[in-house]
Amino acid sequence: MAVIRITGTYSGLDTDKIIADLMKVERIKVDKVYKQKQLLEWKRDAYREISSLLMGFCDEYLNVLKTATNFRSPSAFAKFNIQSSNSSAVTATANADAANKTHTIQVISLASAAKITGSADIVADVKGSNDVSDFNLIGKKIAVTLDGVTKTLVLDDYSDEDGLSLEKLETDLEQKLADAFGTGKFDVVTEDGKVEIKVLLKGSTFSLSGDGLEGLGFTDGDNTSNGLSLTSSLYSIRNSFKNVLNITDPDENVTFTINGKTIDVKKSYAQATVKDIMNAINSSDAGVKMTYDSLNKQFILESTTEGAASNITYTDSASGLLESLGIVGGTFTAGKDAEFTLDGVEGMKRSSNKFTIDGVTYTLKEVSETPVTISVQADIDSVIENIKGFVNKYNELLDKINGKLSEKYDRNYLPLTEDEKDAMSEKEIEKWEEKAKTGLLAGDSILSRIVSSLRTALYEKIDGVSISLYDIGITTGSYTEKGRLKIDENKLRDALTNNFDEVVKLFTTESRYTYREGLDDSAKRTERYKQSGLAHRLYDIIQDNVRTTRDSNGKKGILLEKAGYTNDASEYSNYLYTQIKNKETLINTLENKLLAKENEYYRKFSAMEKILSQMQSQLSYISAITGNYYSNQ
């Protein structure tokens, strides 16, 4: 709360200004600690910037999830030009295990999955179950929907002198359908006194509704569509199947078995739809997929795995659901293995049309009458571009760290206090703080050790590898370039062309010890270093500094222990955080002392004012007495 003071009443002094000036001297101590705290925060941010750069390099070029650029793996060098002489029959890709070679492959037969092709036309006919008994249907209506288009037919009186005329009804109804939708699309058949309506168009779906259906002999439960509704409940469409679904209890859960796995739809017949049945099958672990062919009105059940070993078995539900869907009584086709001849070796088989042999992944598409040539040639240009990207990113990282190490720190530029900022423009503040932040990591021992470790790791010999970076055209420049790498592209191309495997080993050779094993055992760490390729060495150095996991002593990476990292537990648990909090505590203590000091000054000036007040009263009293004396003389 703001304190309102009335000062200088008797002394006439500007007490507030006098005390403010006195407090400026006292505040120097607080400002000094504040600036120390600000420098620590800037230093923390500078360390985190380096951590971010190290993590970025690691994520881009040493990340096992990014196979194309992971230099710890041969995958970064697995760049191939693949040519197929008949890509409609066979295509191929290659991984790091592939060799420069031309293969020949002839496809004898393709792999296929076991399949049950359900019976076609499983939907019941659109036919009334009762005889037409009254032919005077004048004014009655039928709504006919054909492929989404609905027309309404108004029926007439079809009686004749004998009272009934199926022929007249059949002829008139066909004509009305022709007038509504065009000729040749519907056929109306009357047999044994019952009316049946057929659509003559292949793949077309129609449905009927309206008060005229009852007069034509249709009753509740009769099928009034030649299509199967996939979204209506099974109970409501039970009579839509030629093999009527025998549901005795609508509230019973729908279950059946495929390949020994119980398919529980978790819905009753009154709730479950055909779509629910398909989803339950397709999402189960039965290893099959169900599809529906609306043109032929049939279901297809196919194994999700190819090959001779694939199979489909089932046990129907008590209601005969699979029979109604046409699966029971459908045509079973056994699965087959793919058969081919590769590089002259006949009779080779695989259970899938996609398989990998010696680093080459083949995809068989169709039977080939003659052998297909697959040319696998290393794409040296792409590998060179990958290595150039790696080197450029490394140089950027090194330049940034070396830049921080060599910056000059000017002690004349310290963080600004709020009072100092008030006396400056925003541009002046920006320039001042930019200067004040410069050189905070100059000569820093942690960064110096990182640079030294990186440079040493790249050129010390690797056990079991006969070449070095220098041998493949990657060298450091002069001393003034501080370890930056340069590439002699011609020499690198020659090394990749004539000594490809050794170049890959130079980067990717793995030690028998993991990083984690070496982390807590110095002897294993020494062995790991000697045995590791360049990419693994760089990975270890980066992890030593920005590792987010803890070692056996509970320590994270060196930089994280020093300055922490945003969104990591180390953000509020590191050396600089502790130092910053200590400064904040000290500032609070000093601020409290300043407040006490200020209050003390005000008490003293208040006491002075009180004394002056008393003196003023005494003086007034004396003046009054003296004035009375002289006035009486």
Side-chain angles (χ1 to χ4, degrees):
M1 294 178 62
V3 177
I4 300 175
R5 294 186 174 99
I6 301 175
T7 61
T9 304
Y10 296 98
S11 65
L13 297 175
D14 188 349
T15 305
D16 288 337
K17 184 178 185 309
I18 294 172
I19 293 177
D21 290 340
L22 291 170
M23 292 306 298
K24 285 181 180 178
V25 178
E26 300 291 341
R27 179 161 286 280
I28 291 174
K29 296 177 184 178
V30 180
D31 291 343
K32 181 179 179 181
V33 179
Y34 168 79
K35 293 182 178 185
Q36 291 171 349
K37 170 180 169 286
Q38 184 64 75
L39 286 173
L40 288 172
E41 291 176 340
W42 286 345
K43 196 169 187 178
R44 174 202 62 196
D45 295 342
Y47 276 125
R48 289 183 180 180
E49 182 183 357
I50 299 300
S51 294
S52 182
L53 291 171
L54 291 170
M55 290 178 179
F57 178 82
C58 195
D59 179 65
E60 187 169 355
Y61 287 103
L62 305 173
N63 188 344
V64 294
L65 298 179
K66 297 181 178 179
T67 56
T69 56
N70 176 26
F71 274 78
R72 291 194 288 154
S73 165
S75 62
F77 300 85
K79 313 296 180 184
F80 293 95
N81 286 318
I82 312 292
Q83 298 293 330
S84 172
S85 63
N86 184 0
S87 59
S88 62
V90 185
T91 58
T93 58
N95 62 32
D97 296 326
N100 288 349
K101 188 177 180 180
T102 298
H103 302 274
T104 58
I105 182 170
Q106 184 172 1
V107 184
I108 309 302
S109 63
L110 294 174
S112 61
K115 180 169 66 174
I116 296 177
T117 303
S119 303
D121 296 320
I122 62 173
V123 181
D125 297 330
V126 179
K127 184 178 181 179
S129 58
N130 294 333
D131 293 345
V132 179
S133 57
D134 181 4
F135 283 70
N136 185 9
L137 302 176
I138 191 167
K140 298 291 184 179
K141 297 178 180 179
I142 300 175
V144 183
T145 301
L146 175 65
D147 297 330
V149 177
T150 301
K151 298 291 181 68
T152 299
L153 311 182
V154 180
L155 303 181
D156 294 322
D157 183 359
Y158 303 112
S159 305
D160 59 13
E161 61 275 8
D162 297 324
L164 302 174
S165 178
L166 285 172
E167 183 179 351
K168 185 177 180 182
L169 185 152
E170 179 181 316
T171 302
D172 184 70
L173 193 53
E174 262 191 23
Q175 185 59 51
K176 290 182 185 299
L177 287 167
D179 292 341
F181 296 101
T183 59
K185 295 183 179 180
F186 284 94
D187 182 24
V188 179
V189 178
T190 56
E191 185 177 355
D192 298 329
K194 297 176 177 60
V195 175
E196 180 180 353
I197 301 176
K198 300 178 181 179
V199 68
L200 302 178
L201 299 174
K202 290 289 185 181
S204 286
T205 302
F206 79 96
S207 62
L208 308 175
S209 63
D211 59 5
L213 289 178
E214 184 179 357
L216 295 177
F218 286 85
T219 63
D220 288 342
D222 283 349
N223 186 38
T224 58
S225 174
N226 76 325
L228 182 65
S229 173
L230 302 183
T231 56
S232 297
S233 73
L234 292 172
Y235 186 72
S236 68
I237 62 170
R238 62 191 183 282
N239 294 320
S240 296
F241 301 100
K242 284 184 177 178
N243 289 316
V244 175
L245 193 54
N246 184 24
I247 301 172
T248 57
D249 180 5
D251 295 325
E252 179 187 356
N253 274 353
V254 183
T255 60
F256 48 91
T257 302
I258 297 179
N259 286 340
K261 304 291 184 181
T262 298
I263 310 296
D264 186 350
V265 184
K266 300 186 184 307
K267 288 184 179 181
S268 68
Y269 284 97
Q271 299 170 321
T273 66
V274 175
K275 182 65 75 174
D276 291 330
I277 303 301
M278 296 173 68
N279 290 339
I281 292 173
N282 296 342
S283 62
S284 73
D285 56 357
V288 292
K289 180 181 180 181
M290 175 176 269
T291 57
Y292 179 61
D293 178 356
S294 62
L295 294 179
N296 294 301
K297 299 181 180 63
Q298 67 182 162
F299 286 91
I300 299 169
L301 200 60
E302 188 171 10
S303 174
T304 55
T305 58
E306 299 172 331
S310 66
N311 193 23
I312 302 177
T313 61
Y314 57 80
T315 301
D316 203 355
S317 64
S319 64
L321 175 62
L322 296 182
E323 183 177 7
S324 295
L325 297 178
I327 299 301
V328 177
T331 303
F332 176 75
T333 305
K336 293 181 180 179
D337 288 336
E339 184 176 352
F340 55 94
T341 298
L342 179 63
D343 294 340
V345 180
E346 298 180 349
M348 298 187 70
K349 292 184 177 183
R350 291 292 186 274
S351 60
S352 171
N353 290 314
K354 186 175 183 179
F355 51 86
T356 301
I357 298 176
D358 293 336
V360 180
T361 299
Y362 301 90
T363 301
L364 310 185
K365 296 183 174 180
E366 64 182 27
V367 172
S368 59
E369 297 297 328
T370 58
V372 178
T373 299
I374 303 293
S375 174
V376 181
Q377 298 296 325
D379 185 356
I380 301 300
D381 289 337
S382 293
V383 176
I384 288 175
E385 288 303 310
N386 218 17
I387 293 175
K388 286 166 68 175
F390 176 87
V391 169
N392 289 338
K393 196 70 174 181
Y394 172 84
N395 284 340
E396 289 177 15
L397 175 64
L398 209 62
D399 289 346
K400 188 68 176 181
I401 298 176
N402 280 326
K404 292 292 184 182
L405 286 169
S406 60
E407 285 179 348
K408 300 298 182 183
Y409 179 61
D410 191 339
R411 296 182 181 277
N412 293 318
Y413 287 85
L414 294 174
L416 298 169
T417 64
E418 291 302 319
D419 288 341
E420 290 170 335
K421 287 180 181 180
D422 289 341
M424 301 170 68
S425 67
E426 288 187 10
K427 193 68 175 178
E428 288 172 333
I429 294 172
E430 182 180 339
K431 288 182 177 180
W432 183 284
E433 290 191 343
E434 181 181 352
K435 186 69 175 176
K437 293 177 182 179
T438 302
L440 292 179
L441 299 182
D444 183 81
S445 60
I446 297 176
L447 300 192
S448 296
R449 186 165 56 251
I450 292 174
V451 171
S452 176
S453 299
L454 292 174
R455 296 178 63 176
T456 302
L458 290 178
Y459 281 95
E460 285 195 334
K461 179 175 173 52
I462 300 167
D463 289 356
V465 180
S466 62
I467 61 175
S468 66
L469 273 183
Y470 177 82
D471 297 315
I472 66 173
I474 301 178
T475 59
T476 54
S478 64
Y479 174 79
T480 58
E481 293 181 278
K482 300 179 180 179
R484 293 187 99 256
L485 298 178
K486 292 184 176 181
I487 298 178
D488 181 336
E489 195 167 320
N490 292 329
K491 194 171 182 179
L492 177 58
R493 185 181 300 277
D494 182 68
L496 289 169
T497 302
N498 300 308
N499 203 6
F500 185 83
D501 291 343
E502 204 67 14
V503 175
V504 175
K505 286 173 61 179
L506 176 65
F507 284 90
T508 66
T509 296
E510 289 191 64
S511 168
R512 59 178 174 152
Y513 297 117
T514 65
Y515 173 76
R516 173 56 63 177
E517 288 175 312
L519 192 61
D520 300 320
D521 189 321
S522 59
K524 290 180 180 179
R525 177 58 180 263
T526 300
E527 283 301 306
R528 174 175 168 80
Y529 179 84
K530 292 178 180 179
Q531 297 166 2
S532 293
L534 303 181
H536 287 282
R537 288 182 176 180
L538 296 185
Y539 175 82
D540 288 1
I541 293 168
I542 292 174
Q543 288 302 301
D544 286 344
N545 287 277
V546 297
R547 184 184 66 254
T548 57
T549 57
R550 301 184 186 277
D551 61 16
S552 58
N553 296 316
K555 299 294 185 181
K556 296 194 174 193
I558 296 171
L559 282 173
L560 269 61
E561 288 292 324
K562 181 75 172 183
Y565 198 73
T566 306
N567 296 327
D568 180 72
S570 62
E571 182 176 1
Y572 302 108
S573 177
N574 58 76
Y575 174 78
L576 286 180
Y577 178 80
T578 301
Q579 296 299 306
I580 291 168
K581 295 303 291 183
N582 289 341
K583 295 298 182 185
E584 289 177 351
T585 300
L586 181 55
I587 289 172
N588 288 335
T589 300
L590 292 175
E591 289 283 5
N592 289 333
K593 288 184 177 180
L594 281 180
L595 181 59
K597 190 74 171 179
E598 185 180 51
N599 289 335
E600 179 62 23
Y601 279 133
Y602 272 107
R603 279 195 296 271
K604 289 182 177 180
F605 275 95
S606 178
M608 181 189 72
E609 292 290 335
K610 184 177 181 180
I611 293 172
L612 289 175
S613 172
Q614 292 172 349
M615 291 176 63
Q616 184 69 34
S617 296
Q618 291 174 356
L619 182 59
S620 298
Y621 177 72
I622 293 171
S623 296
I625 293 174
T626 304
N628 290 333
Y629 173 78
Y630 284 109
S631 63
N632 293 325
Q633 296 300 317

